Amino acid sequence: MKRPTDQQLRERLMQPGPRRQGQPVEAVTPPDQEMAVWVTLDMLKPYEHNPRQVQNPKYEEIKASIRAAGLKHKPPVTQRPGEKQYTICDGGNTRLQILRELYEETGDSHFHAFYALYRPWQSEVKMLTGHLSENDNRGQLLWIERAKGVVDAKVMYEEESSDTLSQRELVKRLAEDGYQVAQSHISKMLYTVEHLLPTLPNTLYSGLGRPQVEKLISYREACRLIWERCTEEVAPEGFAEAWHQTMAWFDDEGQTEMNWSIVVDRLCGMLSDDTGVHFNICELTLDNIVTYRKRRWDLEEHQAFEALDVELQQMRDPDAQPPSLYPPLPDSAADSSADSASKAQNPVPGSEPQVEQLPSPRTLGREAPADGERVESAELLRLREQVAALEREKKRLSESQSAVMPEFGEPVSEPGPVLMAAAAEEAVDWPEGAARTEVERGARLEGLTQSSWEESPGKRGYRHHLASELGVPSFDFEQLAPLAAPVLSGEITPPIADVWFIEGVEDEPRSLRIRIRELVQVIARWGGFGGSDVVVADDESIGFDLNPLPDSADRRSRIAWQALASLRGELNPEYPADATLWGALLGTHREEGDESAWDDSVLLRFFRLVRLIRRLREHLQGQQET
């Protein structure tokens, strides 16, 4: 091959090179793995959807640490496709803000340029859940911040899948992305953002906690149920506006707890004004719904709406039931007390003098009491009459004894009339063991009270009113405490004012089955299987039935199950079934290290359970005979 000349080489070198076929690269492709990158403040930006809306409570503490020792924890960053700047991911917005403040204050380059931890881009929802998890672990997020973040994540998940997510699926997706949240909280979070945030934004972002939010949700749902019950009085769609107008007055900055007494009064006033139902009926029904739902009772089965239904029926058809006044008018009580006083002071001529007797405590306990002030006045009137009679008798006896003094050595004749004090005490039908003085009464009441039980005056008054309308006896715990063997305990069962006596309003099969199931749940909770599917309702027999226990049940659960099964006559041969079972439960027999005895509250409720089952059996036998 002939060698090119110098001129040819010169010409070839002067020819233009190859042309570029692709487009120029403006930015380097981001890395596909985690690594440290050198960044400046200009290259970073905070996360736009950061769930933390208020300042981190540890803000000043973190700032002081960075000022003194520098940035110890590198903020994690990522880069969205097509963006030039890095975005903070998995927490770090607080540190970025502090670095900018420190650089403006000091001008130190250590706060302007530093190493950051780069993480490859995944998705928007991954970034959101990362911030939720990191902020919740490093600094306590507010309830509304967590709720708002979960709702935003749900929206992103649904946009990705183009389908609606259930709460169970949402919990699963959040857990897969690194954020753990209980499923029981999900519904409350969604409810908070949908119904409470538009009405109480300042209060929620001031730090209203989960217990307060749960209580607010329970009151809103109770008001909604009452509103929807009044179908002829209000439109269902008007509740949201009425709720908003009422509760917006309670939206204050810096408020972390609600004044519940005022809240309940305003809510009852709103329901009364819009539906026309009496305020006390609204308060009673609202308290029933909140209490029964907290105990997981069925509202219809436990007649939570009974007072409201009666009021609505009276409003819609006033002629259906004649109106009755409760408590009775004062004139009738005053006339009766005046008549009794006149009869005591002016006895009928020729009749034997009779000592006015106090009513039997048992009889007094079973009568429907009238208004508290009027009962006290009548009682004081009778006591004053007795005291006056005793004073007159004492004065007459002293005058007769001083007028005729016996001579020395003569036998002293006994006075003819017997003291009224002795007659009055014998006339009182005090049962054996009853408290006779106020001190004994207070000591007996305190000794029988295991824990508090709250019953509103409206609910107590309506209970007595209902008993008087039905013509059946009713009583209160305070009345029968000095007389019987009751027990007051703030569990899910009402106070037992008498182990044996059954109120007339409950002396029918349906109510007896409800009370039986309540008492069975007490023993089931003692055995560790209360509230589960072991105890099931039975509306045909004695009110309850039992499913088998799981294989992992301990001895305490087995003997509790066997005790309940014995009431049905269906023992399990694999569980303890010998006579020592009852000795262990009743506390008369105890093995070393064995804690199988019922305490007093469970034992008394078992006695009450036996009484109710026996009474229910009498009703069932009567139905079979008829």
Side-chain angles (χ1 to χ4, degrees), residues 10 177 218 222 249 289 309 377 386 461 474 550 576:
R10 191 178 300 111
D177 289 340
S218 66
W249 292 94
I289 296 174
D309 292 340
S377 301
Q386 277 196 335
S474 181

Side-chain angles (χ1 to χ4, degrees), residues 299-320:
L299 299 181
E300 297 294 342
E301 183 181 17
H302 287 77
Q303 301 177 356
F305 300 99
E306 182 180 10
L308 178 63
D309 292 340
V310 173
E311 180 78 3
L312 292 175
Q313 182 181 4
Q314 186 69 27
M315 290 169 52
R316 295 167 183 173
D317 189 4
D319 299 331

Side-chain angles (χ1 to χ4, degrees), residues 343-360:
K343 291 179 182 179
Q345 296 178 2
N346 301 318
V348 179
S351 62
E352 296 181 0
Q354 297 181 356
V355 179
E356 181 185 1
Q357 298 182 3
L358 290 173
S360 168

Side-chain angles (χ1 to χ4, degrees), residues 496-512:
I496 299 176
D498 195 318
V499 174
W500 187 258
F501 179 72
I502 300 175
E503 288 194 76
V505 294
E506 295 184 354
D507 194 10
E508 53 92 16
R510 179 177 177 274
S511 297
L512 288 174

